[in-house]
């Protein structure tokens, strides 16, 4: 066996991400690798790690049975990042499916998995230390069970032995195989061409590469990662465990950065949540993707924030919802049972109660009364509402977009506003009150009499 390595290839990196499994144990119409952890598909976590490692080529091996996974990869990485394994004949066969896609790439290639969402670039980096052999990531298992064991020969990895084929002595080993492997691309595919499928499943196993490498005199080694980092997800129960581990790590990160959380176990973060030190997050707050919270803000209990930016000194909730595109200025407030979507709130602007703000621009120091609605949708298109600085919007008002309320203007409570209001004006858009003396008393007396007649 021979393989060539370009003199300048040592620092070049590629990644092959295996994502062709059917994931039947998930019992879900959503493909396994597209299930989210921290608000991001598990497959995207794997791609993120590969990009953070500086991999210039990333190939995702997908199955013919899952067009959704293919479309997801194409949407992020492009068509030339796709390799198809069809039919599925084992992990070694899956890796070989990526050979043609890698083309003339020369350098180190790492094999990772689309269902291992907690594995980071820092966990993978040590596999690139050896430039001339095969390196495997192992972990010390609390319960080795059915994991393949890493059999060492001094500082060299002698073999990866599956539990069902292991002797009692090998089963006593607690260092297990994560499945993540790196090698020079030429060596890897030369070895894979020698892998046979003469086993009970008739499959080509990637793990056979280790013994073949030793047979040809290539170095083999193992590096150790935390068991949680290499956790694979194959069921909804394991997905929940992965989510819990992710959340625990994120909470610890924010607490260490100076974020105050009286009940951190009740706060749920997304993969990209940004929170500045000095922020207070009360219990039962959920951050969806795209939330950015500046230092000194206050997110009160039972609020949901996604795709929104909250400036210093701003306050959200309790029981508030910020949807994508919302930007709260310094000292602004979105109060209880207020929903905001694609709205900017200027410095010190307030909407304290029971309000929907959709598609608008609210100036500094505006006060929006309870029950106000930005009527942004006409059944076909979305329109914006603009409220100038210092304006006052009375309770239970409906602003029918597109409409502009000028600076310092006032809208009387209960108004329906369909036309622009100039700066400093008062707008009243409600019917004149009518009073009919004694009508209520006569009506109630008639109803009581009718009820009494029916009871006889």
């Amino acid at each position: 066996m021979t393989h060539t390595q370009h003199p300048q290839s040592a620092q070049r990196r590629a990644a092959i991400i295996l994502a062709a499994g059917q994931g039947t144990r998930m019992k879900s119409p959503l493909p396994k690798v597209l299930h989210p952890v921290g608000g991001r598909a598990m497959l995207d976590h794997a791609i993120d790690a590969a990009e953070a490692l500086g991999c210039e080529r990333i190939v995702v091996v997908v199955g013919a049975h899952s067009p959704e996974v293919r479309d997801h990869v194409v949407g992020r990485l492009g068509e030339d990042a796709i390799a198809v394994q069809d039919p599925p004949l084992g992990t070694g066969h899956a890796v070989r499916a990526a050979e043609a896609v890698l083309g003339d790439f020369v350098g180190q290639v790492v094999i990772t998995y689309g269902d291992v969402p907690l594995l980071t670039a820092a966990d993978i980096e040590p596999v690139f230390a050896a430039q001339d052999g095969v390196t495997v990531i192992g972990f010390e298992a609390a319960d080795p069970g059915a994991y393949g064991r890493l059999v060492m020969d001094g500082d060299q990895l002698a073999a990866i032995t599956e539990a069902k084929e292991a002797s009692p002595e090998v089963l006593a080993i607690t260092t297990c195989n994560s499945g993540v492997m790196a090698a020079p691309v030429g060596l890897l595919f030369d070895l894979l061409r020698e892998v046979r499928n003469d086993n009970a499943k008739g499959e080509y196993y990637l793990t056979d590469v280790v013994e073949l490498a030793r047979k040809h005199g290539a170095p083999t080694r193992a590096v150790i990662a935390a068991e949680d980092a290499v956790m694979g997800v194959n069921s909804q129960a394991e997905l929940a465990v992965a989510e819990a581990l992710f959340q625990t790590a994120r909470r610890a990160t924010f607490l260490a950065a100076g974020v105050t959380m009286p009940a951190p176990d009740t706060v749920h973060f997304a993969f990209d949540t940004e929170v500045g030190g000095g922020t207070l997050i009360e219990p039962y707050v959920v951050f969806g993707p795209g939330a950015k919270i500046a230092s000194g803000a206050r997110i009160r209990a039972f609020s949901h924030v996604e795709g929104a930016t909250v400036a210093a000194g701003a306050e959200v909730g309790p029981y508030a919802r910020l949807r994508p595109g919302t930007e709260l200025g310094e000292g602004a407030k979105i109060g209880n049972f207020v929903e905001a979507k694609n709205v900017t709130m200027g410095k010190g602007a307030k909407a304290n109660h029971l309000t929907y703000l959709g598609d608008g621009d609210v100036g500094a120091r505006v006060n929006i009364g309870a029950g106000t609605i930005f009527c942004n949708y006409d059944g076909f298109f979305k329109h914006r509402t603009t409220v100038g600085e210092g304006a006052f919007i009375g309770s239970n008002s409906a602003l029918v977009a597109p409409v502009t309320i000028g600076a310092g203007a006032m809208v009387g409570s209960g108004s329906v506003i369909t036309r622009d209001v100039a700066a400093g004006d008062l707008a009243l858009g409600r019917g004149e009150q009518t009073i009919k003396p004694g009508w209520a008393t006569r009506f109630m007396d008639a109803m009581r009499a009718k009820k009494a007649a029916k009871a006889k």
Side-chain angles (χ1 to χ4, degrees):
M1 180 195 72
T2 60
H3 70 275
T4 58
Q5 186 82 346
H6 191 279
Q8 302 299 320
S9 66
Q11 301 304 317
R12 297 183 67 193
R13 296 176 176 181
I16 299 171
I17 302 173
L18 304 188
Q22 297 193 22
T24 54
R25 288 169 56 193
M26 297 297 288
K27 298 181 179 179
S28 169
L30 182 68
K32 176 174 71 169
V33 297
L34 299 186
H35 280 75
V37 170
R40 189 161 178 78
M42 291 193 289
L43 178 55
D44 281 323
H45 283 286
I47 295 172
D48 290 344
E51 290 180 338
L53 285 164
C55 294
E56 60 184 80
R57 293 295 311 278
I58 300 174
V59 179
V60 181
V61 181
V62 303
H65 58 84
S66 186
E68 300 97 331
V69 176
R70 181 191 182 102
D71 291 346
H72 187 90
V73 176
V74 170
R76 177 165 179 183
L77 298 175
E79 192 73 39
D80 60 355
I82 292 288
V84 179
Q85 183 191 26
D86 185 27
L89 296 175
T91 50
H93 179 259
V95 174
R96 286 200 65 182
E99 184 174 7
V101 180
L102 282 173
D104 59 358
F105 173 82
V106 178
Q108 298 288 108
V109 60
V110 63
I111 300 154
T112 65
Y113 299 83
D115 59 359
V116 182
L118 305 180
L119 189 66
T120 67
D123 298 316
I124 301 170
E125 182 66 39
V127 302
F128 292 112
Q131 302 292 338
D132 58 349
V134 175
T135 304
V136 171
I137 293 183
F139 64 98
E140 290 296 328
D143 180 11
Y147 291 121
R149 306 302 204 271
L150 299 189
V151 181
M152 302 300 296
D153 179 10
D155 61 354
Q156 292 285 297
L157 177 61
I160 302 174
T161 304
E162 297 301 324
K164 60 186 177 183
E165 300 171 1
S167 66
E169 292 77 14
V170 171
L171 286 175
I173 297 171
T174 58
T175 307
C176 298
N177 176 39
S178 72
V180 179
M181 177 185 295
V185 66
L187 173 63
L188 176 67
F189 288 116
D190 283 347
L191 294 173
L192 282 171
R193 278 186 278 274
E194 296 187 26
V195 172
R196 298 291 176 260
N197 66 338
D198 50 353
N199 52 63
K201 289 188 175 182
E203 294 184 348
Y204 299 88
Y205 294 136
L206 180 62
T207 51
D208 290 351
V209 161
V210 171
E211 290 189 74
L212 287 169
R214 283 176 63 83
K215 173 183 173 183
H216 290 286
T220 54
R221 61 194 285 267
V223 296
I224 303 301
E227 183 173 7
D228 289 347
V230 297
M231 173 191 176
V233 172
N234 294 293
S235 67
Q236 296 291 345
E238 290 174 349
L239 182 68
V241 171
E243 184 68 49
L245 291 169
F246 174 88
Q247 294 299 331
T248 297
R250 294 292 282 162
R251 292 165 188 151
T253 297
F254 286 124
L255 288 168
V259 175
T260 299
M261 288 185 280
D265 287 351
T266 68
V267 179
H268 189 101
F269 294 102
F271 71 101
D272 61 350
T273 306
E274 299 178 16
V275 184
T279 294
L280 170 63
I281 303 175
E282 294 183 2
Y284 299 101
V285 170
V286 175
F287 294 99
K292 298 181 180 180
I293 315 301
S295 298
R298 183 180 186 185
I299 312 299
R300 302 194 63 186
F302 296 98
S303 294
H304 188 286
V305 181
E306 179 174 359
T309 300
V310 179
E315 184 173 328
V316 178
Y319 296 96
R321 183 182 181 194
L322 301 188
R323 291 170 58 192
T326 298
E327 298 181 11
L328 301 191
E330 185 176 341
K333 182 174 180 182
I334 293 291
N336 49 289
F337 302 104
V338 175
E339 178 181 356
K341 187 270 294 185
N342 196 26
V343 166
T344 62
M345 296 281 287
K347 183 176 181 179
K350 298 178 180 178
N352 282 322
H353 323 279
L354 303 161
T355 291
Y356 172 67
L357 308 175
D359 299 295
D361 300 285
V362 178
R365 303 182 311 282
V366 168
N367 188 88
I368 296 179
T372 296
I373 299 173
F374 283 10
C375 306
N376 58 328
Y377 185 51
D378 64 7
F380 295 94
F381 303 102
K382 298 290 182 70
H383 303 280
R384 294 189 74 79
T385 296
T386 300
V387 182
E389 291 187 6
F392 180 91
I393 310 300
S395 297
N396 201 35
S397 294
L399 307 185
V400 183
V403 70
T404 297
I405 310 299
M410 299 183 71
V411 172
S413 296
S415 294
V416 177
I417 302 300
T418 60
R419 299 191 303 272
D420 292 350
V421 180
D425 284 359
L426 167 65
L428 298 172
R430 58 192 183 217
E432 184 177 348
Q433 180 172 309
T434 300
I435 297 176
K436 297 184 178 181
W439 188 94
T441 299
R442 294 192 297 274
F443 174 79
M444 296 300 291
D445 288 346
M447 291 300 102
R448 291 189 189 101
K450 186 175 182 179
K451 184 176 181 180
K454 285 186 175 181
K456 291 182 180 180

